[in-house]
Amino acid sequence: MKSQLLTLFLAILSIGLAPAAEPRRPVSAKIIPAKEQAEGPHGSESGNVQVTFNDGSKELWTKKSHCQFPQVSSDGSLVGWSHGEILKVQSSSMGGEFLGSNKLRIMRGEKIAADFTVDTPIRKWKFSPDLKFVYIVDQGLHGPETISRGDISTGKIVERHNSMDENLPAWAKPLAE
């Protein structure tokens, strides 16, 4: 009887001491091209965002097919992507449909953490090292790029700079190169 109780006690103790399973978190995100897609700015691919988790599972997080540039933060707490609407351009030098992805969505888990809108299509973006801000580079068909810093906690753009400015802040300089 004592040996059975000891065995039961050790079994319960080992269950309690077993390491907890790591919480499910995003590790990567990519674009799944849609059947009908418009070309993004500067020839970039557009479609829906598929997120892959640390357990190997995958989920499609968008369904409208107008997304680009998905990223996961270094710690897996944030996922973001640009998105927009199809624009029809009629001109003698260039015509057709293009994706005007001037919006950036940041998700924290299944909740929207922030939405940002800039003036022209987003060319690239990234999370700040401390994950408090996003840095967004947007550009129209002609002219210099604009570099913005958006505060994730408020969803507001707090700084905007022309990429040609001589006195760019330190955070913006790598994006202007």
Side-chain angles (χ1 to χ4, degrees):
M1 176 77 170
K2 286 184 180 180
S3 67
Q4 291 174 333
L5 284 174
L6 181 60
T7 302
L8 179 62
F9 175 74
L10 290 175
I12 292 171
L13 183 62
S14 69
I15 291 171
L17 295 177
E22 184 180 355
R24 185 172 178 244
R25 64 179 172 78
V27 294
S28 67
K30 70 178 186 176
I31 291 294
I32 303 298
K35 289 178 186 172
E36 293 181 24
Q37 67 175 356
E39 183 176 296
H42 310 283
S44 54
E45 183 177 51
S46 67
N48 286 307
V49 176
Q50 181 185 65
V51 176
T52 301
F53 296 87
N54 58 337
D55 65 2
S57 63
K58 297 177 182 184
E59 290 180 4
L60 201 59
W61 277 22
T62 65
K63 300 206 183 334
K64 292 186 177 180
S65 305
H66 302 317
C67 303
Q68 297 180 292
F69 312 122
Q71 293 184 42
V72 176
S73 64
S74 57
D75 68 353
S77 66
L78 300 168
V79 177
W81 60 87
S82 67
H83 63 100
E85 300 297 324
I86 302 297
L87 306 173
K88 293 186 184 202
V89 177
Q90 302 292 330
S91 76
S92 57
S93 62
M94 187 171 104
E97 292 185 345
F98 298 90
L99 180 58
S101 60
N102 67 328
K103 299 173 186 342
L104 181 68
R105 170 153 291 169
I106 305 298
M107 302 289 290
R108 186 180 312 276
E110 295 182 15
K111 295 185 179 177
I112 298 171
D115 278 325
F116 300 96
T117 301
V118 292
D119 297 333
T120 56
I122 295 170
R123 293 199 58 198
K124 59 186 172 183
W125 72 275
K126 69 179 195 171
F127 291 107
S128 66
D130 63 5
L131 304 180
K132 293 180 181 181
F133 298 96
V134 290
Y135 305 143
I136 305 166
V137 177
D138 63 297
Q139 181 183 33
L141 295 175
H142 302 287
E145 297 173 328
T146 301
I147 304 170
S148 303
R149 184 166 74 139
D151 184 332
I152 295 172
S153 68
T154 65
K156 305 236 184 266
I157 300 289
V158 294
E159 285 185 69
R160 285 182 63 81
H161 300 276
N162 181 310
S163 64
M164 303 300 283
D165 288 348
E166 291 182 21
N167 298 319
L168 283 174
W171 63 265
K173 286 180 181 176
L175 297 165
E177 299 171 355

